[in-house]
Amino acid sequence: MKKLIVVLCAVVFYGCSHQTAKNNDLASESVIVDSTSECVGTTELAEKYKGKLIAAEDSQLLASSLGNPQEGKLCQGQVYLSKAPIILYRAWNSTNPGSQFGRWWAFEKPNGKVAKYRADYEICYQWSPLDKMSRCTLQAGIKVVIGNGQSAKCSQYLTYPVSKAQQIYIESANEAMVNCETYNDEFNWQ
């Protein structure tokens, strides 16, 4: 009987401690995702976009744009509603036909070294060779999330830290974007 009580106590203790550990893991994950203390940059709009975008509420859209550390997506974000057309850019993967209208866009045309662009926007080489670029117009009346990139672990040798570069998350870019122009990447060694 004494052995049975000891075994039952051990099972109950393990179950409680295991559940507490699980709850603590969940709590710390949500704190990291929701906290801006480790994020850099701002969700504030540049002057030229004020009036074209206004702050809005959409907790589901915001939640789908935020990522855990080392998993990419956004570290912090703010939902905005487009009030006027805005030109946006996307570097993408020509071997994946659905990639042209992916969810991640930028205010500025990709420029300079590809490695710096990957680091600024946390784009792992496995996710895209970045061999195409689209310049499209975001239509008025579309909700987007603007924020700064979360860290991304690409391999045991490469992890991008959080970034202050602003990214635009668009849930259904194929419906939100019009007047697209597509450009090919080409070698331009310096």
Side-chain angles (χ1 to χ4, degrees):
M1 183 70 169
K2 200 173 190 180
K3 275 187 174 180
L4 179 60
I5 291 173
V6 169
V7 168
L8 286 175
C9 287
V11 168
V12 168
F13 177 75
Y14 172 77
C16 290
S17 66
H18 183 69
Q19 187 61 38
T20 301
K22 279 178 123 176
N23 290 341
N24 285 341
D25 289 346
L26 291 174
S28 66
E29 284 179 7
S30 65
V31 168
I32 291 170
V33 170
D34 293 337
S35 171
T36 58
S37 63
E38 294 183 27
C39 300
V40 295
T42 179
T43 60
E44 299 275 327
L45 296 173
E47 196 62 40
K48 65 182 176 180
Y49 299 110
K50 292 181 179 175
K52 292 184 177 188
L53 294 158
I54 60 167
E57 294 291 325
D58 190 327
S59 57
Q60 187 175 9
L61 181 64
L62 180 61
S64 64
S65 72
L66 298 176
N68 290 317
Q70 297 190 358
E71 293 179 3
K73 294 190 171 187
L74 295 179
C75 186
Q76 62 183 345
Q78 168 65 51
V79 177
Y80 287 95
L81 178 67
S82 60
K83 299 300 283 179
I86 300 170
I87 301 293
L88 297 178
Y89 299 88
R90 175 170 168 75
W92 53 283
N93 176 359
S94 67
T95 63
N96 177 355
S99 179
Q100 180 178 2
F101 293 104
R103 295 181 174 161
W104 302 101
W105 294 75
F107 284 120
E108 304 299 325
K109 179 181 175 183
N111 193 355
K113 295 183 178 181
V114 174
K116 180 167 177 9
Y117 188 81
R118 284 187 184 283
D120 286 347
Y121 293 93
E122 297 87 13
I123 304 171
C124 294
Y125 58 88
Q126 304 95 314
W127 299 345
S128 177
L130 302 178
D131 62 341
K132 288 276 196 181
M133 183 197 70
S134 290
R135 177 188 182 271
C136 300
T137 302
L138 175 68
Q139 301 179 79
I142 305 294
K143 281 186 182 176
V144 300
V145 180
I146 297 174
N148 311 102
Q150 179 59 274
S151 58
K153 183 174 183 174
C154 302
S155 72
Q156 71 183 65
Y157 305 107
L158 177 62
T159 299
Y160 293 119
V162 295
S163 172
K164 65 180 181 177
Q166 283 190 335
Q167 299 180 38
I168 301 100
Y169 176 83
I170 305 171
E171 191 92 331
S172 299
N174 58 330
E175 298 167 11
M177 305 306 256
V178 294
N179 303 326
C180 292
E181 297 173 15
T182 302
Y183 302 88
N184 293 312
D185 183 28
E186 57 184 57
F187 286 110
N188 186 16
W189 300 105
Q190 297 179 16

